[in-house]
């Protein structure tokens, strides 16, 4: 897929001349739709925030600068998760978050 330069003035999506545009095929459209639905489904809700407040591993993690620095690091580069494999606080946080997200997705599938 062609990618153009970002419009520096308006910081909008890359500007690609119309004659070079390639419309996504059916698989790409399906991927984009599913990805959008998944991202929407995982957005925080009041119910999710209540569950976070009831989970000591998540509460502790959100308040711990070391854990939040690790989360930011991993968000920038998922391969950096390997750096934290022996950090029990970071592992507990991610395990609790994965459990919460798993419950949410399971509930959607019903």
């Amino acid at each position: 897929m062609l990618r153009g330069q970002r419009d520096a003035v308006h910081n909008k999506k890359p500007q690609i001349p119309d004659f070079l545009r390639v419309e996504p095929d059916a698989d790409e459209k399906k991927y984009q739709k599913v990805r959008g639905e998944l991202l929407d489904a995982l957005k925080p809700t009041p119910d999710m925030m209540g569950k976070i407040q009831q989970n000591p591993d998540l509460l502790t993690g959100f308040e711990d600068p070391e854990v939040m620095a690790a989360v930011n690091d991993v968000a920038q580069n998922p391969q950096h998760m390997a750096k934290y494999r022996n950090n029990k606080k970071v592992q507990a946080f991610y395990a609790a978050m994965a459990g919460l997200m798993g419950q949410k997705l399971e509930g959607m599938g019903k």
Side-chain angles (χ1 to χ4, degrees), residues 65-78 80 84 93-94:
E66 179 185 1
V67 173
M68 288 294 97
V71 169
N72 286 329
D73 185 25
V74 171
Q76 295 295 315
N77 184 344
H80 287 181
Y84 305 102
F93 178 82
Y94 273 105

Side-chain angles (χ1 to χ4, degrees), residues 32-44 104-105:
Q32 290 173 354
K33 180 179 182 237
V34 170
R35 182 178 184 271
E37 290 171 354
L38 181 60
L39 290 174
D40 284 343
L42 294 177
K43 286 182 182 174
K104 183 165 178 139
L105 291 173

Side-chain angles (χ1 to χ4, degrees), residues 25-103:
D25 62 12
D27 288 339
E28 179 67 20
K29 287 180 182 179
K30 190 184 306 183
Y31 166 77
Q32 290 173 354
K33 180 179 182 237
V34 170
R35 182 178 184 271
E37 290 171 354
L38 181 60
L39 290 174
D40 284 343
L42 294 177
K43 286 182 182 174
T45 62
D47 179 54
M48 182 186 293
M49 298 308 292
K51 289 180 181 180
I52 287 172
Q53 291 175 346
Q54 295 171 357
N55 187 312
D57 287 328
L58 288 175
L59 276 180
T60 302
F62 278 117
E63 294 173 356
D64 187 326
E66 179 185 1
V67 173
M68 288 294 97
V71 169
N72 286 329
D73 185 25
V74 171
Q76 295 295 315
N77 184 344
Q79 292 179 341
H80 287 181
M81 188 65 186
K83 294 189 320 190
Y84 305 102
R85 79 178 119 221
N86 295 322
N87 186 320
K88 292 182 183 193
K89 294 188 297 185
V90 172
Q91 291 300 315
F93 178 82
Y94 273 105
M97 187 59 79
L100 181 63
M101 294 295 112
Q103 289 173 0

